[in-house]
Amino acid sequence: MKNEASAILLISCPDRQGLVCAVTDFLMRHNGNIIDLEQHVDTEERVFFMRLEWELNGFALPRDQISEKFSLIASRFEMKYELHFSDYKPRLAIFVSKFPHCMLDLLARQSSGDLNAEIPLIISNHTDLEPAARMHGIDFHCIPVSKDNKAAQEAKQMELIKQYNIDVIVLARYMQVLSDNFCRNYPNRIINIHHSFLPAFVGAKPYHSAHQRGVKIVGATSHYVTGDLDEGPIIEQEVMRVTHRDSVESLIRKGRDLEKLVLARAVWAHLQNKVLVYKNRTVVFG
Amino acid sequence: MKNEASAILLISCPDRQGLVCAVTDFLMRHNGNIIDLEQHVDTEERVFFMRLEWELNGFALPRDQISEKFSLIASRFEMKYELHFSDYKPRLAIFVSKFPHCMLDLLARQSSGDLNAEIPLIISNHTDLEPAARMHGIDFHCIPVSKDNKAAQEAKQMELIKQYNIDVIVLARYMQVLSDNFCRNYPNRIINIHHSFLPAFVGAKPYHSAHQRGVKIVGATSHYVTGDLDEGPIIEQEVMRVTHRDSVESLIRKGRDLEKLVLARAVWAHLQNKVLVYKNRTVVFG
Amino acid sequence: MKNEASAILLISCPDRQGLVCAVTDFLMRHNGNIIDLEQHVDTEERVFFMRLEWELNGFALPRDQISEKFSLIASRFEMKYELHFSDYKPRLAIFVSKFPHCMLDLLARQSSGDLNAEIPLIISNHTDLEPAARMHGIDFHCIPVSKDNKAAQEAKQMELIKQYNIDVIVLARYMQVLSDNFCRNYPNRIINIHHSFLPAFVGAKPYHSAHQRGVKIVGATSHYVTGDLDEGPIIEQEVMRVTHRDSVESLIRKGRDLEKLVLARAVWAHLQNKVLVYKNRTVVFG
Amino acid sequence: MKNEASAILLISCPDRQGLVCAVTDFLMRHNGNIIDLEQHVDTEERVFFMRLEWELNGFALPRDQISEKFSLIASRFEMKYELHFSDYKPRLAIFVSKFPHCMLDLLARQSSGDLNAEIPLIISNHTDLEPAARMHGIDFHCIPVSKDNKAAQEAKQMELIKQYNIDVIVLARYMQVLSDNFCRNYPNRIINIHHSFLPAFVGAKPYHSAHQRGVKIVGATSHYVTGDLDEGPIIEQEVMRVTHRDSVESLIRKGRDLEKLVLARAVWAHLQNKVLVYKNRTVVFG
């Protein structure tokens, strides 16, 4: 079943009666077979969210007419929506600095078919990981960034992103802060991994701060990047227990496993079109 | 919002097109405001599951007509369904032996309003916990069970369950095996806590077996009771890490916290009408 | 074995060669049978920590001479040390406000023998939990605290603590900030439960803040109380996953289980004399 | 500090007085500076375990005399012991079949310096992973195994293990059962990853069994391999929550992350000489 292509609608709108009925009625009228339906109502904000996946096989509308037809319902209910197809492979760019673990983990997942994505481009401010990128047959561009050349270098990055038709940018322990301007160009399309349990220990050297504070659990957080450092909408978090025996080095070593796992889960959820953003929070369907 | 009464439908039926549409259309036609909707399709078994909760306030049908009206849809789609109202307080009987922790935890939750339930009856095969029951103002019946008197004593238990109008039986570390006959009388209405991560370590003394096997994690499992010991549908499980330093006594001590937590979560999910059983498995909505 | 009384030494000192040897030699010379030995060296700070437990049965020194004899070794190595006996039952005072769950959990543990402690005193700034305290046969004192009467009321509290010979004060969701003066009187003897994963969400209403920030995991933290609010040495933390489906009310409900568990574990570790404090951090032996 | 070489003693013997004292006295007499000391007493079995790590820099005995000198103490206390040096890089052979994830994870860890080991040899019963092995510059030998040729093919494997001076064999989802004879040749030196929370779901297709049973948590287990399939001493386990929404395919996908993590932790603990085996259980120091 998963081998057959499916269509996915991600919907959000003001909550009111008849939403589920209207959407499922639309599908039924065109002979759509629902594979998965999830909805959520934020009762405080009175916002309705829905993810709907149905088989394209047997669906009465051709792909290129679905959005047009659905827009009638959407406008009636003031819906924002995205339409995706499961057989499209999104194109990822990975941004790295010197730490290889997150990048290598994503590449291993991609090569073994775990990620439904292409990875044609790796950008770094250092050359350390160029051999690993080349070994995997991926184009590697070194674009060193300093205070003085940031705007110009980000322009180069954006040019590459355009040239490679990149859909999603993954910051796999990229140790540069992106400018507001850069972030605004890719809303909810830049995924970062921060090596702490946000909002604890924002900023640099979170493992040092965690050790200093004597916490008994450390974590990692993956979030969409906005202009506010470490403040973007959280997609996924995970933690592990530590003890007084863990030095800063030990936290860093163990933390790498958290970082890999949390980033991979966040990227996977994004690629499955399971994430909706509102009010700096996310709805992540199961 | 939660203060207002709501109605809950739990539905299962063979999967086919139009199910969500038909059910939500039914609600809309009677002006029902959906609070929560969850559905699940077991694609292997081709079975559809749904939990639907809507506000009674403003709903066009009086309570006693909902089931009758809905049965028309139900029969069209071969649905099995249950209808519940959030302001009904189910009545629990707790079965215990000598260990107090699960019982005391449930009573504390009940007294602080965490459980939407009445607890009018405690049954035990020992008298040890009678003072604690009385302290909480709950009727306590000691019904000792032996191989020879089991049928007769279970008859007394069933008589009390009837007399007290019990909806759900919670085995809070009750150290007797219930007969097939007893179990069949309360399908999916007897909730047990087993002190291991099932299916590992079925039967007696699971902490001893876990210690013997040298596992690094121990668990607890709450499940509906069937005639097959420790084989009923699992509602909830939880685990905790242990080390070589943990003796059997230490596992037993730490395990009590797991047992309390897992049983309480399972009872809570059941009382919220979030659990559906099929093929000896459960769907537990979020 | 655990039934027999044991002695416990908690030691900290500057790290240097021969420490373990000197201490274990002292025991051996007096025919001490070691039950448990744990040591830790903070290699950055060059501090040595040790917990040593041995059987009193067969030990050549009477209890009242152990400290005197050991002080010779202690002074040679500049050791700070505490000597405890496992058959002494520390006396706890519980401070509460209106939420009963942590208090009831501790009382249930105490009554079933899980806590090696007496609980003769409960102090509250409200009368809500007086009936529960009385039901358990524990003296309850209502001492309302306002901005204006704080010093006077804390004086009453300290008088009661003295009168009841209290060893440890447990703040079981006590919603008042203790003064610097009060805290300084009981260093490392006041244990608090904070309903967040510190240092995230210090201060009031952490579940609201967690919901607002959209975290995917919430936690609870137990720590010794110092004059700096929510900044004392952390003893224990635990977390649980949440989703976009969890409202603030749901976080509060689920969080209660974390709070109970984390506070109970911290109190247990303290009562087992397994906690050492230094530089606002703790060593918690296993 | 970790950069300097250290020596590690792993000791087990019948428990009696004076063990810690005797061992630490030995170190002190030769001017040994203890970096880490952990001990454990199994009070039921009356067995003593110890791991002792000290700096070689400044130690009065040359490496090749340590064992000889220590053997005097060892024989007095009937100790079994191993002596290791932290700057020796153990040599690993990885056995694989068709699933790449565990192998790729170990290779990524090795290449980024996370594993203190050489990996000169990969053996598989299939050719699928040969390109990945070659890409990492590691010798790959395909040795297909069938019922009929098992003894002969295992002889070839053992010959390679000898030829490459292999210290540890890691079964990274190797889908063949090793013979008793093979296992006996490498006691506590073959590390396997089993894709379930042992002892639940031994044997083939554990994810299918887990799905069938309807468990709410799945796990993975790393253990030393003995002649009894899936019955060897457990080194490490980890689990993750699943729901009714997880199909068998979803369990398999999520489980890969568990398998990678658990195997890597077990290999790491073994390589740090932190694991002691007795009575089919392990002591894993922290």
Side-chain angles (χ1 to χ4, degrees):
Chain A
M1 10 232 97
K2 276 289 176 187
N3 301 332
E4 306 290 339
S6 58
I8 296 139
L9 265 176
L10 281 179
I11 300 168
S12 64
C13 63
D15 190 29
R16 51 186 265 197
Q17 283 187 23
L19 289 165
V20 177
C21 190
V23 176
T24 54
D25 179 64
F26 167 78
L27 277 196
M28 202 179 59
R29 279 187 288 113
H30 299 100
N31 205 35
N33 201 35
I34 298 176
I35 298 169
D36 198 28
L37 179 157
E38 289 185 88
Q39 64 104 51
H40 171 62
V41 177
D42 187 317
T43 52
E44 274 172 51
E45 313 280 350
R46 289 263 154 209
V47 186
F48 172 88
F49 304 91
M50 192 177 195
R51 184 187 187 275
L52 195 62
E53 183 169 0
W54 70 95
E55 293 175 16
L56 282 168
N57 191 7
F59 193 55
L61 290 175
R63 292 187 187 207
D64 54 5
Q65 290 180 27
I66 298 174
S67 191
E68 191 194 329
K69 296 277 186 193
F70 185 72
S71 65
L72 300 175
I73 292 167
S75 65
R76 176 148 57 102
F77 291 98
E78 300 171 78
M79 288 174 176
K80 280 186 277 187
Y81 70 95
E82 301 171 25
L83 177 66
H84 300 280
F85 299 108
S86 69
D87 54 3
Y88 172 73
K89 287 211 169 200
R91 295 169 65 80
L92 263 59
I94 300 180
F95 280 43
V96 285
S97 291
K98 295 186 168 189
F99 298 126
H101 55 286
C102 286
M103 180 189 86
L104 291 178
D105 186 64
L106 288 172
L107 297 184
R109 286 168 193 273
Q110 201 273 336
S111 75
S112 57
D114 263 13
L115 285 185
N116 180 41
E118 306 287 343
I119 305 181
L121 173 64
I122 294 174
I123 289 175
S124 180
N125 52 337
H126 296 280
T127 55
D128 305 56
L129 301 182
E130 179 157 7
R134 300 251 179 258
M135 186 172 87
H136 286 85
I138 301 174
D139 289 1
F140 180 95
H141 294 263
C142 181
I143 305 181
V145 178
S146 69
K147 234 178 175 175
D148 297 333
N149 68 6
K150 187 163 201 158
Q153 298 298 71
E154 286 195 345
K156 281 190 206 167
Q157 293 171 344
M158 290 189 272
E159 182 54 37
L160 285 167
I161 287 163
K162 195 175 168 188
Q163 178 188 327
Y164 281 86
N165 285 311
I166 296 303
D167 297 293
V168 188
I169 299 160
V170 179
L171 310 185
R173 298 298 312 276
Y174 179 63
M175 308 301 272
Q176 288 287 326
V177 177
L178 299 172
S179 72
D180 258 28
N181 176 48
F182 189 100
C183 296
R184 264 196 301 271
N185 272 289
Y186 312 102
N188 302 331
R189 288 169 56 198
I190 313 174
I191 300 174
N192 184 43
I193 180 71
H194 182 76
H195 41 314
S196 85
F197 182 82
L198 289 177
F201 310 125
V202 297
K205 300 209 172 244
Y207 292 124
H208 291 76
S209 304
H211 189 259
Q212 175 79 8
R213 181 63 187 90
V215 294
K216 301 303 185 189
I217 288 174
V218 296
T221 303
S222 192
H223 62 92
Y224 288 117
V225 176
T226 62
D228 293 324
L229 185 65
D230 300 336
E231 297 287 346
I234 293 170
I235 308 170
E236 170 67 349
Q237 303 187 289
E238 191 54 272
V239 296
M240 57 167 58
R241 295 190 79 81
V242 296
T243 76
H244 58 271
R245 293 178 58 87
D246 287 290
S247 62
V248 171
E249 289 70 34
S250 167
L251 295 184
I252 290 172
R253 183 184 67 79
K254 291 181 177 177
R256 281 195 286 264
D257 283 336
L258 280 181
E259 296 161 25
K260 284 154 57 175
L261 194 61
V262 170
L263 179 59
R265 284 189 196 152
V267 170
W268 192 86
H270 180 93
L271 293 176
Q272 297 287 314
N273 304 300
K274 286 177 175 283
V275 189
L276 275 158
V277 175
Y278 78 114
K279 302 204 124 204
N280 210 43
R281 297 202 293 260
T282 61
V283 170
V284 183
F285 286 120
Chain B
M1 10 233 99
K2 277 291 176 187
N3 302 332
E4 305 291 338
S6 57
I8 296 140
L9 265 177
L10 281 178
I11 300 168
S12 64
C13 63
D15 190 30
R16 51 187 267 198
Q17 283 186 22
L19 288 165
V20 177
C21 191
V23 176
T24 54
D25 179 64
F26 167 81
L27 277 197
M28 203 180 58
R29 279 186 287 113
H30 299 99
N31 205 36
N33 201 34
I34 298 177
I35 298 169
D36 197 28
L37 179 157
E38 289 186 89
Q39 63 104 49
H40 171 63
V41 177
D42 186 318
T43 51
E44 275 172 52
E45 312 279 351
R46 291 263 152 207
V47 185
F48 171 88
F49 304 92
M50 193 176 195
R51 182 186 186 278
L52 195 62
E53 184 168 359
W54 70 95
E55 293 174 18
L56 283 168
N57 190 8
F59 194 54
L61 291 176
R63 293 188 187 205
D64 54 5
Q65 290 180 26
I66 298 174
S67 191
E68 191 194 330
K69 294 277 185 193
F70 185 72
S71 65
L72 300 175
I73 292 166
S75 64
R76 176 148 58 102
F77 291 98
E78 301 171 78
M79 288 173 177
K80 279 187 277 186
Y81 71 94
E82 301 172 25
L83 177 66
H84 300 279
F85 299 108
S86 69
D87 54 2
Y88 173 72
K89 288 211 168 201
R91 294 169 65 81
L92 263 59
I94 300 179
F95 280 43
V96 286
S97 291
K98 295 186 169 187
F99 299 126
H101 55 287
C102 287
M103 180 189 87
L104 290 178
D105 186 65
L106 288 172
L107 296 183
R109 287 166 193 273
Q110 202 272 337
S111 75
S112 56
D114 263 13
L115 285 185
N116 179 41
E118 306 286 344
I119 305 181
L121 173 64
I122 295 174
I123 290 176
S124 180
N125 52 336
H126 296 281
T127 55
D128 304 56
L129 300 181
E130 178 156 9
R134 300 248 178 261
M135 186 172 87
H136 286 83
I138 301 174
D139 289 0
F140 179 95
H141 294 263
C142 181
I143 305 182
V145 178
S146 69
K147 233 177 176 176
D148 297 333
N149 69 5
K150 186 163 202 158
Q153 298 297 72
E154 286 195 344
K156 281 189 205 167
Q157 294 171 342
M158 291 188 273
E159 182 55 35
L160 285 168
I161 288 163
K162 194 175 168 188
Q163 178 189 325
Y164 281 85
N165 284 310
I166 297 302
D167 296 292
V168 188
I169 299 160
V170 179
L171 309 185
R173 299 298 312 277
Y174 180 61
M175 308 302 271
Q176 288 287 326
V177 178
L178 299 172
S179 72
D180 258 29
N181 176 47
F182 188 101
C183 296
R184 263 195 302 271
N185 272 289
Y186 312 102
N188 303 331
R189 289 169 56 199
I190 313 173
I191 299 175
N192 185 41
I193 179 70
H194 182 77
H195 40 316
S196 85
F197 182 81
L198 289 176
F201 311 125
V202 297
K205 299 207 173 245
Y207 292 124
H208 290 77
S209 305
H211 188 259
Q212 175 78 9
R213 181 65 187 90
V215 294
K216 301 304 184 186
I217 288 174
V218 296
T221 303
S222 192
H223 62 93
Y224 288 117
V225 176
T226 62
D228 293 323
L229 184 65
D230 298 337
E231 298 288 345
I234 293 169
I235 306 169
E236 170 67 350
Q237 302 188 290
E238 192 54 273
V239 295
M240 57 165 58
R241 296 190 79 82
V242 296
T243 75
H244 59 269
R245 293 177 59 88
D246 287 290
S247 62
V248 171
E249 289 69 34
S250 167
L251 295 184
I252 290 172
R253 183 184 67 79
K254 292 181 176 177
R256 282 195 285 264
D257 283 336
L258 280 182
E259 296 160 25
K260 284 155 55 176
L261 195 61
V262 170
L263 180 59
R265 284 190 196 151
V267 169
W268 191 86
H270 180 93
L271 293 175
Q272 298 286 314
N273 304 300
K274 287 178 175 282
V275 190
L276 274 158
V277 176
Y278 79 115
K279 300 206 123 204
N280 210 43
R281 298 202 293 262
T282 60
V283 170
V284 182
F285 286 119
Chain C
M1 10 231 95
K2 277 290 176 187
N3 302 333
E4 305 290 338
S6 57
I8 297 139
L9 265 177
L10 280 177
I11 299 168
S12 64
C13 64
D15 190 29
R16 51 186 267 199
Q17 283 187 23
L19 288 164
V20 177
C21 191
V23 176
T24 54
D25 179 64
F26 167 78
L27 277 196
M28 202 179 57
R29 280 186 287 112
H30 299 99
N31 204 35
N33 200 33
I34 298 177
I35 299 170
D36 197 30
L37 179 157
E38 289 185 270
Q39 64 106 49
H40 170 62
V41 177
D42 186 319
T43 52
E44 275 172 50
E45 312 279 351
R46 290 262 153 211
V47 185
F48 171 87
F49 304 91
M50 193 177 193
R51 183 187 186 276
L52 194 63
E53 184 168 359
W54 71 95
E55 294 174 16
L56 282 168
N57 190 9
F59 193 56
L61 290 174
R63 294 188 187 206
D64 55 5
Q65 290 180 26
I66 298 174
S67 191
E68 191 193 331
K69 295 278 184 193
F70 184 73
S71 65
L72 301 176
I73 292 167
S75 64
R76 175 148 58 101
F77 292 97
E78 302 171 78
M79 287 172 176
K80 279 186 281 186
Y81 71 94
E82 301 172 24
L83 176 67
H84 300 279
F85 299 109
S86 69
D87 54 2
Y88 173 73
K89 288 213 167 198
R91 295 169 65 81
L92 263 60
I94 300 180
F95 280 44
V96 286
S97 291
K98 294 187 169 187
F99 299 127
H101 55 287
C102 286
M103 180 190 86
L104 290 178
D105 185 65
L106 288 172
L107 296 183
R109 287 167 193 273
Q110 202 273 338
S111 75
S112 56
D114 264 13
L115 285 185
N116 180 41
E118 306 287 343
I119 305 181
L121 173 64
I122 295 174
I123 289 176
S124 180
N125 52 337
H126 296 280
T127 55
D128 304 55
L129 300 182
E130 177 157 7
R134 300 249 178 261
M135 187 171 85
H136 286 84
I138 301 174
D139 289 1
F140 179 97
H141 294 262
C142 181
I143 304 181
V145 178
S146 69
K147 235 177 176 178
D148 297 332
N149 70 5
K150 188 163 201 157
Q153 298 298 72
E154 285 195 346
K156 281 189 205 167
Q157 293 171 344
M158 291 189 272
E159 182 55 36
L160 285 167
I161 287 163
K162 194 174 170 189
Q163 178 189 328
Y164 282 85
N165 284 311
I166 297 303
D167 296 292
V168 188
I169 298 161
V170 180
L171 309 185
R173 299 298 311 276
Y174 179 63
M175 308 302 272
Q176 288 287 327
V177 178
L178 299 172
S179 72
D180 258 29
N181 175 48
F182 189 100
C183 296
R184 265 195 301 271
N185 272 289
Y186 313 101
N188 303 331
R189 288 169 57 199
I190 312 174
I191 299 175
N192 185 41
I193 179 71
H194 182 75
H195 40 316
S196 85
F197 182 81
L198 289 177
F201 310 125
V202 296
K205 300 211 172 240
Y207 292 125
H208 291 75
S209 305
H211 187 259
Q212 175 80 8
R213 181 62 187 92
V215 295
K216 301 303 185 189
I217 289 174
V218 296
T221 304
S222 192
H223 61 94
Y224 288 117
V225 177
T226 63
D228 293 324
L229 185 65
D230 300 336
E231 298 287 345
I234 293 170
I235 308 170
E236 170 66 351
Q237 301 187 290
E238 191 54 272
V239 296
M240 58 166 59
R241 295 191 80 80
V242 297
T243 76
H244 58 270
R245 294 178 59 87
D246 287 290
S247 61
V248 171
E249 288 70 33
S250 167
L251 295 184
I252 290 171
R253 183 184 66 80
K254 291 181 178 177
R256 282 194 285 264
D257 283 336
L258 281 181
E259 296 160 26
K260 284 155 55 176
L261 195 61
V262 170
L263 180 58
R265 284 189 196 151
V267 169
W268 191 86
H270 180 93
L271 293 176
Q272 297 287 314
N273 304 299
K274 287 179 174 282
V275 190
L276 275 158
V277 175
Y278 78 115
K279 301 206 121 201
N280 209 43
R281 296 203 293 262
T282 61
V283 170
V284 182
F285 285 120
Chain D
M1 9 234 96
K2 276 291 177 187
N3 302 330
E4 306 289 338
S6 58
I8 297 138
L9 264 176
L10 280 178
I11 300 167
S12 64
C13 63
D15 190 30
R16 51 187 267 199
Q17 282 187 24
L19 288 165
V20 177
C21 190
V23 176
T24 54
D25 179 64
F26 166 79
L27 277 196
M28 202 178 58
R29 280 186 287 113
H30 300 99
N31 204 36
N33 199 34
I34 297 177
I35 298 169
D36 197 29
L37 178 158
E38 288 186 89
Q39 64 105 49
H40 171 62
V41 177
D42 186 319
T43 51
E44 274 171 52
E45 313 280 350
R46 290 263 152 208
V47 186
F48 172 87
F49 305 91
M50 193 176 195
R51 183 187 186 277
L52 195 62
E53 184 169 359
W54 70 96
E55 293 174 16
L56 283 168
N57 191 9
F59 194 54
L61 290 175
R63 292 188 187 206
D64 55 5
Q65 289 180 27
I66 298 174
S67 191
E68 191 193 330
K69 295 276 185 195
F70 185 73
S71 64
L72 300 175
I73 292 166
S75 64
R76 175 148 57 100
F77 292 98
E78 300 170 79
M79 289 174 175
K80 279 187 280 187
Y81 70 95
E82 302 171 25
L83 177 67
H84 300 279
F85 299 108
S86 68
D87 54 1
Y88 173 72
K89 287 212 168 198
R91 295 170 63 81
L92 263 59
I94 300 180
F95 280 43
V96 286
S97 292
K98 295 187 168 186
F99 299 126
H101 54 287
C102 286
M103 181 190 85
L104 290 178
D105 185 65
L106 288 172
L107 296 184
R109 287 167 193 274
Q110 202 273 337
S111 75
S112 56
D114 263 13
L115 284 186
N116 180 41
E118 307 286 345
I119 306 182
L121 173 65
I122 294 174
I123 289 176
S124 180
N125 52 337
H126 296 281
T127 56
D128 305 54
L129 300 182
E130 178 157 9
R134 301 251 178 257
M135 188 171 86
H136 286 84
I138 301 174
D139 289 0
F140 180 95
H141 294 262
C142 180
I143 305 182
V145 178
S146 69
K147 235 179 176 175
D148 297 333
N149 70 3
K150 187 163 202 157
Q153 297 298 72
E154 286 195 345
K156 281 189 205 166
Q157 293 171 344
M158 290 189 273
E159 182 54 35
L160 285 167
I161 287 162
K162 196 175 169 190
Q163 178 189 325
Y164 282 84
N165 284 312
I166 297 303
D167 296 294
V168 188
I169 299 161
V170 179
L171 309 185
R173 297 298 312 276
Y174 180 62
M175 307 302 271
Q176 289 286 328
V177 178
L178 299 172
S179 72
D180 258 29
N181 176 46
F182 188 101
C183 296
R184 265 195 301 270
N185 272 289
Y186 313 102
N188 302 332
R189 289 169 56 199
I190 312 174
I191 299 175
N192 184 42
I193 179 70
H194 181 77
H195 41 314
S196 85
F197 182 82
L198 289 176
F201 310 125
V202 297
K205 301 211 171 240
Y207 292 125
H208 290 77
S209 305
H211 188 259
Q212 175 79 10
R213 182 63 187 91
V215 293
K216 301 304 184 188
I217 288 174
V218 296
T221 304
S222 192
H223 61 95
Y224 288 117
V225 176
T226 62
D228 293 325
L229 185 65
D230 299 336
E231 297 287 344
I234 293 169
I235 307 169
E236 170 66 351
Q237 302 188 289
E238 191 53 273
V239 295
M240 58 166 57
R241 295 191 79 81
V242 296
T243 75
H244 59 270
R245 293 179 57 88
D246 287 290
S247 61
V248 171
E249 288 70 34
S250 167
L251 296 184
I252 290 171
R253 183 183 67 80
K254 292 181 177 176
R256 281 195 286 264
D257 283 336
L258 281 181
E259 296 161 26
K260 285 155 55 176
L261 194 61
V262 170
L263 181 59
R265 284 189 196 151
V267 169
W268 191 85
H270 180 93
L271 293 176
Q272 298 287 314
N273 304 300
K274 286 177 175 283
V275 190
L276 274 158
V277 175
Y278 79 115
K279 301 206 123 204
N280 209 42
R281 298 203 292 260
T282 60
V283 170
V284 182
F285 286 120

